[in-house]
Amino acid sequence: SSPDSDGCTPELEKAGLLNKTKIAEGGRKLRKNWSPSWVVLVGNSLVFFKDPKSQTPSSWKPGNSRPESSVDLRGAQLHWANELSSKKNVFKLRTVTGNEFLLQSETDSLIKEWYTTIQNVIDRLDRE
Ligand code: I3S
């Protein structure tokens, strides 16, 4: 059985380095400020950490490292958004509270995996 067979710890679905910028807060447009972010998809949340150099896939655990911010994926919307940037491989995540993020990777396969994995979580929450 898994180390969490009682289901009390949310499942870590994915973790990795993406470029991130927040473009809206509560529906209000923000100025872009791209920076690398260690992104962790765990349970119903996408969690962002600063300083990716000091992060490892296991360091998201409570107490090890403090997240910069976190996004509730329930009711969120995901769209490819290459028209919103000169960068390639950009998607936009919009939360129910009107926060909008762009996430990007130079690696096609990697960004597609992230898109699919996040969309799967959103779909699962929509069915609940
Ligand atoms: O969509 P924008 O406003 O052209 O986005 C670019 C700017 O935010 C720019 O910052 P300054 O306007 O402060 O110089 C950023 O450095 C660029 O990265 C933004 O565009 P991309 O195309 O990289 O998303």
Side-chain angles (χ1 to χ4, degrees), residues 31-96:
R31 185 164 183 177
K32 273 184 190 166
N33 183 19
W34 286 102
S35 62
S37 180
W38 185 262
V39 184
V40 177
L41 181 55
V42 60
N44 303 345
S45 298
L46 201 59
V47 187
F48 302 120
F49 292 86
K50 257 184 193 160
D51 189 16
K53 288 188 285 292
S54 71
Q55 302 296 332
T56 66
S58 62
S59 68
W60 66 274
K61 285 172 188 157
N64 288 6
S65 175
R66 188 157 22 140
E68 184 185 19
S69 63
S70 144
V71 167
D72 183 359
L73 293 175
R74 192 179 292 275
Q77 294 180 319
L78 197 62
H79 297 288
W80 289 110
N82 287 314
E83 77 283 3
L84 294 183
S85 176
S86 61
K87 302 181 195 303
K88 69 171 192 171
N89 298 336
V90 175
F91 61 72
K92 181 170 85 171
L93 177 66
R94 185 185 195 283
T95 69
V96 283

